[in-house]
Amino acid sequence: MTTPPVRAALADAARQLEPVSDTPRLDAELLMAHALGTTRDRLLLGRLDDPTPEAFVALVARRLTHEPIAYITGTRAFWTIDLAVGPGVLIPRPDSETLIETALAWFGTRAPRRILDLGTGPGTLLLAALAEWPAAEGLGIDASEAAVGYARRNAEALGMAARADFRLGDWTDGVTGPFDLILANPPYIGAQEPLPPQVLDHEPAEALFAGSDGLDDYRRIVPALPGLLAPGGAAVLEIGWMQADAVSLLGQEQGLAPSVYNDMGGRPRVVRLT
């Protein structure tokens, strides 16, 4: 049987993926690029008439079970960097880039020297921040051995291993400041909130859920911030879009001034505490 060209296989895969994805064509293209060992841009610009690689069918089959694209390809782009990811780590989301934007706006022409990333996952926020500030160094904390392993490998691959230290830990326990910038993307989903299968069935629950109202981890993190922040520093926390008032109040109770920032969809996504 003749192997179909890439363009035909992409069209067929996109149709198959419609029931399981909001972006079926994009998913198909990313899987095809992975199967071909190339980038999506190069695929679209010059590989559409190539024969379809045998591996593509198996990749599509995995996606049809709701397995996240990032786990299938083993990588995810975030801000200006590419991160290796896999089962056991939270997949970086575009909305989390709002934390880096907020930090850049706060420091302006200044630069943080010491950065703390709480719940670092595969090193997402810390490594993105270190890419922006080449003279900075940082510490990433996570309770997951798998996440810390990915973070260390990502730091090495990005040439940042000398500036990024990653440790197993329980939020701020045993951490000593001061830090000019504290970043955190803690779990903030309430225990009964619905999630799509590709998240609920594949990503680690401990990186998603935080008690009945999704605020359990903020109640642990925020009280520690005044003792960790350097003068003129800022803590930048990701929130669920209905949690701005609650997390702002937690900060005010600790004598911190809150500001709220929206993500690319116009929803509250970040509380900055200074």
Side-chain angles (χ1 to χ4, degrees):
M1 181 172 19
T2 304
T3 303
V6 162
R7 67 173 72 248
L10 285 173
D12 181 60
R15 285 191 295 271
Q16 292 183 61
L17 293 171
E18 284 179 1
V20 302
S21 174
D22 294 330
T23 55
R25 176 72 187 198
L26 174 62
D27 289 7
E29 291 169 357
L30 291 171
L31 294 175
M32 183 66 78
H34 181 64
L36 288 168
T38 189
T39 65
R40 177 171 171 258
D41 287 346
R42 292 189 181 117
L43 162 68
L44 296 176
L45 290 173
R47 304 289 298 273
L48 292 176
D49 293 317
D50 284 12
T52 299
E54 291 183 11
F56 181 65
V57 173
L59 299 178
V60 173
R62 290 173 64 182
R63 183 69 183 113
L64 287 169
T65 69
H66 298 278
E67 185 175 355
I69 289 286
Y71 284 178
I72 298 172
T73 64
T75 188
R76 180 66 170 241
F78 181 83
W79 196 245
T80 63
I81 59 176
D82 289 322
L83 296 164
V85 296
V89 301
L90 187 71
I91 297 169
R93 268 66 166 178
D95 285 342
S96 298
E97 294 183 353
T98 310
L99 282 85
I100 304 299
E101 294 172 350
T102 300
L104 286 167
W106 171 254
F107 283 98
T109 58
R110 299 180 297 135
R113 299 289 300 182
R114 195 165 182 235
I115 302 170
L116 174 64
D117 181 12
L118 296 169
T120 191
T124 305
L125 295 172
L126 179 56
L127 296 175
L130 293 180
E132 290 294 325
W133 291 295
E137 60 183 29
L139 170 63
I141 302 291
D142 206 286
S144 163
E145 289 189 26
V148 169
Y150 271 101
R152 288 171 176 161
R153 291 192 292 275
N154 282 324
E156 187 72 36
L158 292 165
M160 299 181 191
R163 297 194 290 133
D165 181 21
F166 293 100
R167 301 179 200 166
L168 278 173
D170 185 12
W171 296 124
T172 61
D173 287 358
V175 177
T176 56
F179 296 92
D180 303 296
L181 173 61
I182 299 175
L183 300 163
N185 179 14
Y188 54 72
I189 298 170
Q192 303 305 316
E193 291 184 47
L195 290 174
Q198 74 172 34
V199 177
L200 184 62
D201 296 343
H202 293 276
E203 296 192 64
E206 61 272 18
L208 299 167
F209 297 104
S212 60
D213 61 1
L215 295 171
D216 281 5
D217 290 307
Y218 298 104
R219 296 186 181 104
R220 294 193 57 203
I221 293 168
V222 175
L225 296 178
L228 293 173
L229 276 173
V236 181
L237 313 179
E238 181 163 341
I239 58 168
W241 69 279
M242 297 180 68
Q243 296 171 328
D245 289 345
V247 176
S248 293
L249 180 59
L250 288 173
Q252 289 173 330
E253 290 171 347
Q254 302 300 321
L256 298 168
S259 298
V260 178
Y261 296 84
N262 292 346
D263 60 25
M264 63 186 69
R267 290 182 166 184
R269 184 60 59 193
V270 164
V271 171
R272 189 197 72 203
L273 298 171
T274 56

